[in-house]
Amino acid sequence: MSLPVHPIERRERTDRRRSEPHPVTEDLADALTANAIELLFQPQWRSSDGALVGAEALVRWEHPDHGTLAGDALVAIAQSGGIARRLSRHIARAALNAAAQWPDHLRLALNVTAMDLFDRTFGEELLAMLADTGFPASRLTLEITEQALVADLDRSAAKLEALAGEDIRIALDDFGAGFCNFRYLKVLPLDALKLDKSMLDGVTEGERDLAVLRAIVAMARALDLTVIAEGVESAEQRDIVTREGCDVWQGYLGARPEPAADFASRF
Ligand code: G
Ligand code: MN
């Protein structure tokens, strides 16, 4: 038997539910307005000689109650609050602004979501931001996960072709973590393959893991793709990816994602 609810109580309850569906998204909107979302940069090194070649921009937000929110979790929060566009523009602008101060030989890698890619004005806005910040398109790599492409491969290809036509490079991110649909490799204008951390997990112990890595690198070579190994945590892993022909590596062994000023102290 349910207890009768006083009309005023009922109204209060409904109001409360309506006004706090996603308190975190409201905090995120405030943080964006206050410019309190920090952008970090994780260095990338060339395997052959250890030279610094660039960095991946990664967004991170310290929430007072929820702790550190980053990457996909942060994007999901923004999407549920209808501010994903705002977040992605903020990230792109802040990253390009920082990278515009870097020496010419360093590249910037920026993560792009499915929503960005299919957003009608994303390409245009990105080009405008490149022009505004003075960062050359030819030094920009967009990292796209296969989840982002799954929705509509032909349309994804067309969107990426347009960006590639502007000299922007395209990397397939997290390769090896998902379904690894080989049609992506045939259809998309890719420049680089970024191997997921899970591809490296067993390479120091298992022959099978090593065989898979070797085969993927051979395939990437045949397709003229740059291979980037992500999530390198030990010197042994770094030596293996170097020996096996990965062109670039990134991971905690070298550096965690760091503030722009720390990254700038490396050059
Ligand atoms: O998939 P994507 O390129 O966006 O991956 C970057 C993420 O991986 C970041 O969240 C970053 O902090 C994390 N990351 C980077 N290097 C390492 C590493 O060496 N080990 C682990 N566990 N995570 C890493
Ligand atoms: Mn990435």
Side-chain angles (χ1 to χ4, degrees), residues 56 111 143 173 194:
E56 175 181 9
N111 292 288
E143 295 190 2
D173 203 357
K194 195 164 182 188

Side-chain angles (χ1 to χ4, degrees), residues 42 56 60 143 173-174 194 197 230-231 233 251-252:
Q42 188 175 31
E56 175 181 9
R60 197 141 308 181
E143 295 190 2
D173 203 357
D174 300 335
K194 195 164 182 188
K197 184 185 176 310
E230 165 172 81
E233 292 183 343
Y252 292 172

Side-chain angles (χ1 to χ4, degrees), residues 99-107 139 267:
Q101 311 301 316
W102 300 351
D104 288 351
H105 65 282
L106 298 182
R107 305 186 55 84
R139 283 169 52 204
F267 47 78

Side-chain angles (χ1 to χ4, degrees), residues 158-239:
K159 293 280 186 185
L160 294 178
E161 297 283 0
L163 295 163
E166 300 289 341
D167 266 357
I168 294 170
R169 291 194 199 160
I170 312 292
L172 190 56
D173 203 357
D174 300 335
F175 190 78
F179 296 104
C180 302
N181 186 334
F182 290 109
R183 206 159 98 78
Y184 296 151
L185 302 175
K186 294 203 226 175
V187 175
L188 302 171
L190 299 174
D191 298 283
L193 212 53
K194 195 164 182 188
L195 305 185
D196 188 69
K197 184 185 176 310
S198 61
M199 297 273 300
L200 305 190
D201 280 342
V203 292
T204 49
E205 302 110 45
E207 277 303 312
R208 294 181 74 87
D209 292 77
L210 191 57
V212 171
L213 173 69
R214 202 166 274 169
I216 299 287
V217 173
M219 179 191 66
R221 283 268 156 282
L223 293 167
D224 207 17
L225 299 174
T226 297
V227 185
I228 303 162
E230 165 172 81
V232 174
E233 292 183 343
S234 68
E236 207 180 347
Q237 283 181 334
R238 182 200 51 205
D239 294 346

Side-chain angles (χ1 to χ4, degrees), residues 1-264:
M1 191 189 82
S2 62
L3 293 169
V5 178
H6 188 275
I8 292 186
E9 267 181 41
R10 186 183 293 146
R11 195 173 62 234
E12 277 175 359
R13 253 187 229 163
T14 321
D15 281 350
R16 195 178 313 139
R17 201 179 309 147
R18 199 187 312 135
S19 64
E20 49 174 28
H22 299 295
V24 193
T25 61
E26 282 164 33
D27 295 344
L28 179 57
D30 292 344
L32 280 169
T33 305
N35 210 10
I37 302 287
E38 200 188 5
L39 210 58
L40 302 177
F41 296 88
Q42 188 175 31
Q44 299 181 329
W45 288 276
R46 185 162 55 218
S47 306
S48 60
D49 61 358
L52 182 70
V53 290
E56 175 181 9
L58 292 161
V59 66
R60 197 141 308 181
W61 178 37
E62 297 299 333
H63 189 280
D65 309 322
H66 299 273
T68 306
L69 296 165
D72 295 344
L74 195 52
V75 169
I77 290 167
Q79 279 172 348
S80 75
I83 51 171
R85 240 170 146 251
R86 246 186 98 191
L87 177 67
S88 73
R89 299 308 184 271
H90 171 86
I91 295 170
R93 183 167 291 281
L96 290 169
N97 261 326
Q101 311 301 316
W102 300 351
D104 288 351
H105 65 282
L106 298 182
R107 305 186 55 84
L108 170 70
L110 202 53
N111 292 288
V112 165
T113 66
M115 200 207 62
D116 292 330
L117 192 61
F118 292 115
D119 183 334
R120 256 186 311 121
T121 62
F122 173 75
E124 237 170 77
E125 285 177 52
L126 186 64
L127 294 180
M129 282 189 244
L130 287 165
D132 282 355
T133 57
F135 188 77
S138 59
R139 283 169 52 204
L140 178 64
T141 300
L142 298 180
E143 295 190 2
I144 310 208
T145 62
E146 63 180 336
Q147 280 86 339
L149 305 167
V150 130
D152 185 336
L153 191 55
D154 293 331
R155 244 177 92 220
S156 297
K159 293 280 186 185
L160 294 178
E161 297 283 0
L163 295 163
E166 300 289 341
D167 266 357
I168 294 170
R169 291 194 199 160
I170 312 292
L172 190 56
D173 203 357
D174 300 335
F175 190 78
F179 296 104
C180 302
N181 186 334
F182 290 109
R183 206 159 98 78
Y184 296 151
L185 302 175
K186 294 203 226 175
V187 175
L188 302 171
L190 299 174
D191 298 283
L193 212 53
K194 195 164 182 188
L195 305 185
D196 188 69
K197 184 185 176 310
S198 61
M199 297 273 300
L200 305 190
D201 280 342
V203 292
T204 49
E205 302 110 45
E207 277 303 312
R208 294 181 74 87
D209 292 77
L210 191 57
V212 171
L213 173 69
R214 202 166 274 169
I216 299 287
V217 173
M219 179 191 66
R221 283 268 156 282
L223 293 167
D224 207 17
L225 299 174
T226 297
V227 185
I228 303 162
E230 165 172 81
V232 174
E233 292 183 343
S234 68
E236 207 180 347
Q237 283 181 334
R238 182 200 51 205
D239 294 346
I240 289 173
V241 301
T242 300
R243 187 192 71 207
E244 296 302 328
C246 297
D247 304 281
V248 171
W249 68 273
Q250 169 183 349
Y252 292 172
L253 170 69
R256 293 190 172 243
E258 60 195 18
D262 294 1
F263 181 65

